[in-house]
Amino acid sequence: MTSFGGTASQGMVDWNLAVATATRLVRPGPEISRDEARAVVAELRRHAKVSEEHVRAFTRMGTGDVHDTPVLVVDRPGWVRANVAGFRELLRPLLDKMQERRGPGAGNAVLGAVGGKVTGVELGMLLSFLSSRVLGQYETFAPAAPDLPAGTAPGGGGRLLLVAPNIVHVERELDVDPHDFRLWVCLHEETHRTQFTAVPWLRDHLEGEIQAFLAETDVDPMTFLERIRDAAQSLAGGRPEGEQEDGGRSLVELVQSPAQREILGRLTAVMSLLEGHADFVMDGVGPEVVPSVAEIREKFQQRRAKGASRLDLALRKLLGLDAKLRQYRDGERFVRAVVDEVGMDGFNRVWTSPNTLPTKAEISDPAGWVARVHRTTEP
C-alpha cells in the first residue's frame, strides 16, 4: 500500500487514514466470477489500445509515437489510492499555508481537537462515495509509486485509470451491450490522454493555473474543514432533514477570493473544453466502431442528468460536481459548433497556445472564439 508520509500538510489531513477509511467503507462491486473479472480487465486493456488509434485518427492530434503513460485497470480501492496521491501533491501548497495560519488561541485548540485524523476519516468517507461513481480518469498530475506507475515524460507524466467494477455496474444498470459500452468509455478517457500527450504545454499550463488559484486562497482552516465535515455528515445521514441544501455552496466556491475569480473562469473554460471535446470524440468515433452508440448515449445521458438520489444531488452541489456536468454539456456544444464552422483542423487551432484556448464567455459563444482565433490578417 502506498504511504503518504508527513509534511506540514500532514497535520491538516491524515492521508494514510483517508485511504484506510475509504478502503474500509467502499461498497463492494457487482457480483462477478474470477474468470469474468479477468476477461473484463483484459478487454478494457485491449479497448484502451484500440481507442488510441481511433482517437488520433478522428482528432488528427498527435503522431504515431508511442507514449509511456500507463493504462491501469483498477478496482475501487485502487482508484482511491491513486487519487489521494494526486490530491496530496496538488493541495500541498494550500494545506501548508493553512497549517502556518494555525496559531495559539482558542481557534487553534478547536482545530487541534478536529485534527488531521478526523479530517482524514471524513475525506475517506467522501472518497469511498466517489469511488463507486467514476468510470475512468486520466490522472494528469499523478506521482509515480511502486504500485501506481505513472508516465515519465518531461514535465511529469500521467496515467489512465479504468475502474472495472464501476464500468460493469453501469453497463448492467443501463442494460446495454457490455463490449460496446466498455469501448465507448475507453474512447472518452483516451481522448483525455491524447489531449495531454499531443499538446506538450497543456499540463504545465493547467498546473500553473491551479497553483495560482491555490496561492491566492485565503480561507480560514476551520471553514475549509467544516465544509468537508458537512459533506461527510451528509453521507452518514448526520445532518437534519432539509439542512443538506444549505444554499448549495461548494468547496470550490468557498476558497474563492476576488483575485481568484479570473483564474477560476479560465480553469472552468479549459475544463469545459477538455470534457466537451472528449464527449464529442467518443460520439464522433462511436458510429463506426460502437454499433449501439446511440442507445448508449441516450441511456447514459438520462442517468447522468438525474443522478441516483436526492443525497447524490446535494453532494454533487457541495463538491462542485454539478459544475462538471455543465462542463460536459457546454463544452460539447462549443466543440461541435466550432467543428461545424471551421472543420477539425480549424478547431485544432485551440491547442496552439494558452492564448488560443477559449475564454469562459467563448464557451457559450463559439462564433466569438472563431472570430478571435481565425480572424483574417488581410488588409
Side-chain angles (χ1 to χ4, degrees):
M1 176 176 175
T2 303
S3 178
F4 307 98
T7 65
S9 62
Q10 180 75 17
M12 300 295 296
V13 180
D14 187 329
W15 298 104
N16 290 327
L17 187 56
V19 171
T21 301
T23 301
R24 178 171 55 85
L25 295 178
V26 70
R27 292 187 295 179
E31 294 277 343
I32 187 170
S33 70
R34 186 181 298 272
D35 288 343
E36 187 179 3
R38 289 197 187 101
V40 170
V41 170
E43 184 175 24
L44 287 172
R45 287 179 176 149
R46 290 195 304 271
H47 283 335
K49 181 62 178 176
V50 170
S51 293
E52 181 177 355
E53 300 169 8
H54 289 312
V55 168
R56 291 193 175 207
F58 182 81
T59 62
R60 304 177 194 171
M61 295 175 66
T63 67
D65 295 339
V66 177
H67 52 68
D68 70 342
T69 52
V71 176
L72 305 181
V73 182
V74 298
D75 58 9
R76 292 168 178 175
W79 179 88
V80 168
R81 291 194 298 274
N83 275 266
V84 165
F87 289 160
R88 183 171 179 268
E89 290 301 309
L90 271 183
L91 293 178
R92 186 194 305 272
L94 173 63
L95 295 179
D96 285 351
K97 179 179 179 180
M98 292 168 66
Q99 178 80 5
E100 290 172 2
R101 291 188 58 179
R102 291 175 59 177
N108 187 46
V110 173
L111 190 58
V114 173
K117 291 190 178 300
V118 174
T119 308
V121 169
E122 290 163 346
L123 182 59
M125 292 173 67
L126 294 180
L127 288 168
S128 70
F129 170 83
L130 293 172
S131 70
S132 64
R133 283 157 172 75
V134 177
L135 301 181
Q137 174 185 5
Y138 182 72
E139 276 204 296
T140 314
F141 309 108
D147 57 339
L148 291 167
T152 57
R159 56 181 167 236
L160 180 61
L161 304 178
L162 297 169
V163 190
N166 296 350
I167 293 172
V168 172
H169 171 79
V170 174
E171 70 192 25
R172 290 179 178 179
E173 179 185 311
L174 298 181
D175 191 25
V176 294
D177 182 277
H179 308 293
D180 284 3
F181 184 74
R182 293 165 196 173
L183 177 55
W184 189 71
V185 170
C186 287
L187 288 170
H188 181 102
E189 303 309 330
E190 180 57 44
T191 302
H192 286 316
R193 183 161 71 155
T194 297
Q195 289 163 348
F196 283 95
T197 56
V199 185
W201 55 264
L202 183 58
R203 180 193 182 279
D204 288 344
H205 171 73
L206 189 58
E207 182 177 25
E209 293 280 62
I210 292 172
Q211 293 303 334
F213 181 86
L214 295 177
E216 292 289 338
T217 298
D218 194 29
V219 66
D220 176 77
M222 278 301 295
T223 304
F224 184 80
L225 299 181
E226 284 169 1
R227 186 55 51 167
I228 294 177
R229 185 172 309 108
D230 283 347
Q233 288 176 352
S234 291
L235 284 174
R239 303 183 64 188
E241 178 67 23
E243 200 175 294
Q244 59 192 18
E245 299 184 44
D246 59 345
R249 298 190 69 198
S250 73
L251 286 167
V252 170
E253 291 169 325
L254 267 178
V255 297
Q256 280 190 71
S257 67
Q260 290 175 299
R261 292 193 179 99
E262 185 177 347
I263 302 173
L264 188 61
R266 294 196 300 268
L267 278 170
T268 299
V270 172
M271 297 310 297
S272 296
L273 170 68
L274 298 180
E275 296 294 354
H277 184 234
D279 266 12
F280 176 79
V281 171
M282 72 195 297
D283 288 344
V285 174
E288 293 187 8
V289 298
V290 182
S292 59
V293 64
E295 177 192 2
I296 291 173
R297 164 56 75 188
E298 181 180 0
K299 290 183 175 180
F300 192 77
Q301 286 287 67
Q302 292 173 356
R303 180 183 187 273
R304 180 188 276 175
K306 70 181 182 180
S309 65
R310 181 170 175 266
L311 172 60
D312 206 11
L313 293 174
L315 281 164
R316 279 182 181 179
K317 182 65 179 177
L318 185 61
L319 299 172
L321 299 181
D322 57 334
K324 187 175 179 67
L325 296 180
R326 288 195 300 273
Q327 287 166 6
Y328 285 115
R329 182 183 64 244
D330 297 345
E332 195 273 341
R333 280 201 296 253
F334 169 83
V335 175
R336 186 172 301 280
V338 172
V339 172
D340 285 347
E341 185 167 349
V342 297
M344 185 64 74
D345 290 336
F347 165 77
N348 280 341
R349 290 185 65 176
V350 77
W351 312 115
T352 304
S353 76
N355 292 331
T356 57
L357 291 172
T359 65
K360 187 177 180 182
E362 287 170 342
I363 288 290
S364 301
D365 179 25
W369 180 87
V370 171
R372 177 173 67 85
V373 175
H374 287 265
R375 61 177 176 263
T376 180
T377 58
E378 297 177 1

